[in-house]
Amino acid sequence: MKIQKNHLEGLIALLLFGVFAVCLLIALLAGADAYNGLTTKDRIAYDSRVCGQYIATQVRQNDDMNSVSVTDFGDGNALSLAKEIEGNTYVTLIYSYDGYLMELFCAEGAQLAPEDGEKIMPISKFSLSMKGSRLEISYGNEGTQESETVMFLTLRSGEEAAS
């Protein structure tokens, strides 16, 4: 009788250990899934911020009189940032091509194709429009919760400094 009771106690202890292990595994899997969801949202938000800040920084660095414009380039439009360096005019074009935000730095009037630029980051939507000194930039990636971000920048190059 004593031997049967010891086996039964051992079996109950083993069963409790198994239940504990299963509960622990379920909690770990739920935590891993939550972590994966949070990191995905964080990456999407980061990509959106980086793209917007990259474009805003480029515009602010090149905000000189008549140096920021929207031009046709390839199959779409591009943000054109002109800069005079040692008497020659150079243009930085920021545009979307083949699923990427691209940048191309070249001499003004150079005949280059969209594929000649450098890949900056993946992007599926990118459009530009300019009304007066207000630049509207719309960008985003398909398949994300925030599929499109619209940013407005007002060029300051035409304003006089405050006294």
Side-chain angles (χ1 to χ4, degrees):
M1 214 40 161
K2 184 113 172 144
I3 295 174
Q4 261 186 343
K5 189 175 180 185
N6 284 341
H7 285 304
L8 191 58
E9 287 175 358
L11 188 59
I12 290 173
L14 189 59
L15 186 61
L16 285 174
F17 177 74
V19 169
F20 174 74
V22 168
C23 289
L24 184 63
L25 183 62
I26 289 171
L28 286 174
L29 290 175
D33 189 45
Y35 176 78
N36 189 26
L38 288 172
T39 55
T40 300
K41 285 181 184 179
D42 188 45
R43 182 184 47 78
I44 291 167
Y46 174 80
D47 288 347
S48 178
R49 285 191 312 269
V50 167
C51 183
Q53 287 303 313
Y54 169 76
I55 295 169
T57 299
Q58 289 289 4
V59 169
R60 289 180 185 127
Q61 286 178 347
N62 294 285
D63 191 6
D64 297 327
M65 189 64 79
N66 299 322
S67 66
V68 178
S69 63
V70 176
T71 60
D72 292 328
F73 186 67
D75 293 335
N77 53 12
L79 181 60
S80 175
L81 308 167
K83 192 74 145 180
E84 189 169 319
I85 302 172
E86 296 180 3
N88 297 319
T89 303
Y90 294 92
V91 177
T92 300
L93 296 172
I94 299 173
Y95 57 95
S96 176
Y97 176 75
D98 199 26
Y100 286 91
L101 183 67
M102 306 282 283
E103 180 182 86
L104 178 62
F105 181 77
C106 60
E108 187 175 46
Q111 298 298 317
L112 296 172
E115 58 267 14
D116 294 331
E118 293 292 322
K119 293 178 181 177
I120 303 298
M121 65 183 301
I123 195 167
S124 60
K125 299 176 187 177
F126 185 71
S127 65
L128 302 159
S129 67
M130 192 160 194
K131 296 175 183 119
S133 65
R134 184 176 174 173
L135 177 64
E136 179 181 339
I137 305 158
S138 176
Y139 60 91
N141 283 314
E142 292 178 1
T144 62
Q145 289 178 341
E146 295 180 21
S147 62
E148 188 170 3
T149 302
V150 179
M151 180 172 60
F152 297 95
L153 296 173
T154 302
L155 303 179
R156 306 287 183 202
S157 57
E159 296 181 2
E160 294 183 23
S163 349

